Amino acid sequence: MRWRLVLPAGVSAGLLSYVFSVFLISLYAATGAIAGALGVPRQPDAERFGLLVADYGMPLLFVLLVVPAALVVGRRTGGAGPLHGALAGLAAAATHQAVGLLFGPPDPNELLVYPALGLGGGLLGGARGRAARSGEQALRDANRALAAARSARQVAAALGEHLAGLGVTSLCLWSCTGEGPARLLAEWAPGGSAGGPPLDPSALPERPPAPLRVPVSSLPPGERSPLEGRGVGSVLVVPLSPPGGGFRGLLTVASRRRRAFSRSDVRTYAAAAGMAALVLENLRLVERARRAGVLEERQRLAHEIHDTLAQGFTSIVTNLEAAGGALQRDRAALRRHLEQALAVARESLSEARRLVWALRPEPLEEAPLPEALRRLAARWSSSSGIPARVLVTGEPRALPADPEVTLLRVAQEALANVRKHARAGRVAITLSYIGDRVALDVRDDGVGFDPAAPSPGDDGSGFGLRSMRERVGRAGGTLSVESAPGEGTVLSAEVPAAGAAEPVGGAG
């Protein structure tokens, strides 16, 4: 029990309520005497006014002082705030009654009224203090989680998991950096069951400069009906804008309640939104620096390929052509081998030149990722004799080079491992566009294996699961394998749609 906090707060409230009441009565008596000396018509005497203050004003003043005193106690004691607040209220009532004994015997009614008022005011103030402390702790926890966030999805989760109260159905982050419509960066919902963004900020007449509570009933019918169908009663829209500029966006919080967001809730979300905007801006700058480093590395690699690999292939072609001319009268078999070597060298030279200019796989130069996967599956099925089909879910869209190259390489190596190890009868490849992520699943009905055992292809002759994980990890994604002997294998890779270099949706 925090008596060192409870007793001073209660005693102070009890003393102040009596002192203020006596001061009001004395002030009224003094002004009445002055008015009488000046000939002003006589007003109700000080005794009647004193009785009025004692019966009504003093209890009201007592409650007004007990509630904030208990609130202070509640903020300091946290979960036990109502109990400590009630004790502070009873201490205030005891002090008030003790001071009253100096002016005469106690009124029996007051012996009941003031303890009841102290108990009620103390409970109310203590509960409010506990709620305030809980909100402050939630904000501190959210800020710690935001500081550790490495993507827009983690930023949304940090806000939702620590700040969302009862009735909140979803929390969304939007990018508003351009003149076009707002673009969804990430969404959070309780239990991870996000069902789509609750409110497109583009539907608002203008992007608010301050937090705005939007009742769904105030929206146009076209916007209101889908929200009401999902049970949304109101939406809080909070601007995201770091002090130094840069990233611009909005935070939207949807609730089932029509009047869901109190002033305290709005202040809490606004404070957290400032931290969230700083984190998103930092992610954007880190991504820009990473992209610059990747570009510099690509340029260095292109120069090295041009200076070494491409020149070497050119020399091979020149020498083989000279050898072919010198051997025109020799055996046909030798000529055939030379022609094959020449074809391989020319093909390698073409690939080296393509790498110098683009560093992008040829299939992705000729077609988007879904079509490149279909062509890959068709070629693989033709050579292996194993049927393979490709299914695309979600809305396909153009992606940066990193995620496309990563997923294509993973598909190539997964199919190679199926051919080498799985003894499968069929293969299914699924490419899924899911919000700000893109997932690739390669499933076969082969013999399977124990994922805890050494991975197929990790013997130095192939890509291997470890190498695939490293490649996917460099793109900011994850790779998992589900398999068991005799039950086939499912390999799943998931990467950000904007690549590891764009965790905040390309802001800026």
Side-chain angles (χ1 to χ4, degrees), residues 375-469:
R375 295 180 183 180
L376 170 65
R379 290 195 303 270
W380 183 84
S381 294
S382 177
S383 62
S384 66
I386 304 173
R389 64 184 182 90
V390 176
L391 175 66
V392 179
T393 65
E395 183 178 355
R397 57 188 182 275
L399 302 175
D402 281 352
E404 285 198 337
V405 171
T406 297
L407 295 180
L408 179 64
R409 294 302 191 204
V410 168
Q412 289 172 334
E413 298 302 332
L415 290 175
N417 284 341
V418 171
R419 185 172 184 177
K420 293 177 184 177
H421 308 286
R423 298 200 294 275
R426 60 181 180 274
V427 176
I429 302 173
T430 303
L431 179 66
S432 304
Y433 293 86
I434 312 169
D436 62 343
R437 313 284 289 182
V438 183
L440 176 75
D441 299 306
V442 182
R443 181 189 301 269
D444 70 73
D445 62 350
V447 297
F449 67 100
D450 181 4
S455 302
D458 272 351
D459 55 359
S461 61
F463 190 78
L465 292 178
R466 183 175 63 182
S467 298
M468 276 194 276
R469 285 194 177 93

Side-chain angles (χ1 to χ4, degrees), residues 21 24 48-64 110 113-114 117:
S21 298
L24 289 175
R48 291 177 56 191
F49 180 77
L51 293 175
L52 184 64
V53 170
D55 291 340
Y56 300 102
M58 192 177 292
L60 178 61
L61 185 60
F62 177 78
V63 172
L64 292 178
E110 291 184 358
V113 170
Y114 280 95
L117 292 177

Side-chain angles (χ1 to χ4, degrees), residues 160-179:
E161 291 172 0
H162 295 287
L163 301 183
L166 294 176
V168 170
T169 59
S170 66
L171 181 149
C172 296
L173 297 174
W174 303 81
S175 173
C176 305
T177 55
E179 296 296 331

Side-chain angles (χ1 to χ4, degrees), residues 101-494:
L101 293 176
L102 300 176
F103 299 90
D107 186 334
N109 290 331
E110 291 184 358
L111 294 177
L112 297 176
V113 170
Y114 280 95
L117 292 177
L119 183 63
L123 286 172
L124 175 61
R128 293 184 62 185
R130 180 181 62 180
R133 174 161 177 168
S134 298
E136 293 170 357
Q137 183 61 44
L139 183 59
R140 285 194 292 269
D141 292 341
N143 284 337
R144 280 196 292 267
L146 286 170
R150 294 297 178 266
S151 69
R153 174 180 290 185
Q154 293 178 2
V155 171
L159 295 173
E161 291 172 0
H162 295 287
L163 301 183
L166 294 176
V168 170
T169 59
S170 66
L171 181 149
C172 296
L173 297 174
W174 303 81
S175 173
C176 305
T177 55
E179 296 296 331
R183 185 163 59 86
L184 179 65
L185 299 179
E187 179 182 6
W188 174 90
S193 57
L199 172 66
D200 184 352
S202 304
L204 299 174
E206 58 183 12
R207 291 166 188 166
L212 175 66
R213 287 173 284 194
V214 182
V216 170
S217 58
S218 67
L219 296 173
E223 289 290 333
R224 182 174 67 246
S225 298
L227 296 176
E228 291 178 340
R230 290 198 290 269
V232 177
S234 61
V235 179
L236 175 65
V237 183
V238 183
L240 295 173
S241 180
F247 177 80
R248 293 291 183 274
L250 290 174
L251 164 68
T252 60
V253 186
S255 175
R256 288 188 293 270
R257 302 176 181 177
R258 293 185 178 181
R259 297 181 179 179
F261 304 103
S262 65
R263 292 182 180 180
S264 176
D265 293 333
V266 173
R267 287 195 297 268
T268 299
Y269 277 112
M275 179 66 175
L278 287 174
V279 172
L280 292 171
E281 172 66 2
N282 182 62
L283 292 174
R284 185 182 72 88
L285 295 176
V286 169
E287 185 48 32
R288 177 181 293 180
R290 197 194 75 88
R291 282 193 168 188
V294 169
L295 179 59
E296 181 180 352
E297 177 62 17
R298 287 186 174 187
Q299 291 173 343
R300 184 195 65 79
L301 182 58
H303 285 300
E304 289 190 2
I305 291 174
H306 180 270
D307 293 340
T308 57
L309 184 60
Q311 292 183 5
F313 279 130
T314 300
S315 177
I316 291 173
V317 171
T318 301
N319 289 325
L320 288 175
E321 287 176 342
L327 294 174
Q328 289 180 359
R329 295 181 298 275
D330 290 347
R331 292 185 298 264
L334 183 58
R335 175 177 294 278
R336 184 173 64 256
H337 291 306
L338 285 172
E339 288 175 351
Q340 290 175 353
L342 181 61
V344 171
R346 282 176 172 160
E347 182 180 349
S348 299
L349 175 60
S350 175
E351 177 70 8
R353 286 173 173 164
R354 183 192 58 75
L355 287 173
V356 168
W357 287 105
L359 287 173
R360 185 176 175 89
E362 186 174 359
L364 293 176
E365 291 288 345
E366 300 174 351
L369 180 59
E371 182 60 27
L373 289 174
R374 291 189 182 98
R375 295 180 183 180
L376 170 65
R379 290 195 303 270
W380 183 84
S381 294
S382 177
S383 62
S384 66
I386 304 173
R389 64 184 182 90
V390 176
L391 175 66
V392 179
T393 65
E395 183 178 355
R397 57 188 182 275
L399 302 175
D402 281 352
E404 285 198 337
V405 171
T406 297
L407 295 180
L408 179 64
R409 294 302 191 204
V410 168
Q412 289 172 334
E413 298 302 332
L415 290 175
N417 284 341
V418 171
R419 185 172 184 177
K420 293 177 184 177
H421 308 286
R423 298 200 294 275
R426 60 181 180 274
V427 176
I429 302 173
T430 303
L431 179 66
S432 304
Y433 293 86
I434 312 169
D436 62 343
R437 313 284 289 182
V438 183
L440 176 75
D441 299 306
V442 182
R443 181 189 301 269
D444 70 73
D445 62 350
V447 297
F449 67 100
D450 181 4
S455 302
D458 272 351
D459 55 359
S461 61
F463 190 78
L465 292 178
R466 183 175 63 182
S467 298
M468 276 194 276
R469 285 194 177 93
E470 291 174 354
R471 178 185 284 275
V472 173
R474 287 195 297 269
T478 58
L479 184 138
S480 62
V481 177
E482 297 180 10
S483 184
E487 295 183 7
T489 301
V490 179
L491 183 144
S492 302
E494 183 177 294

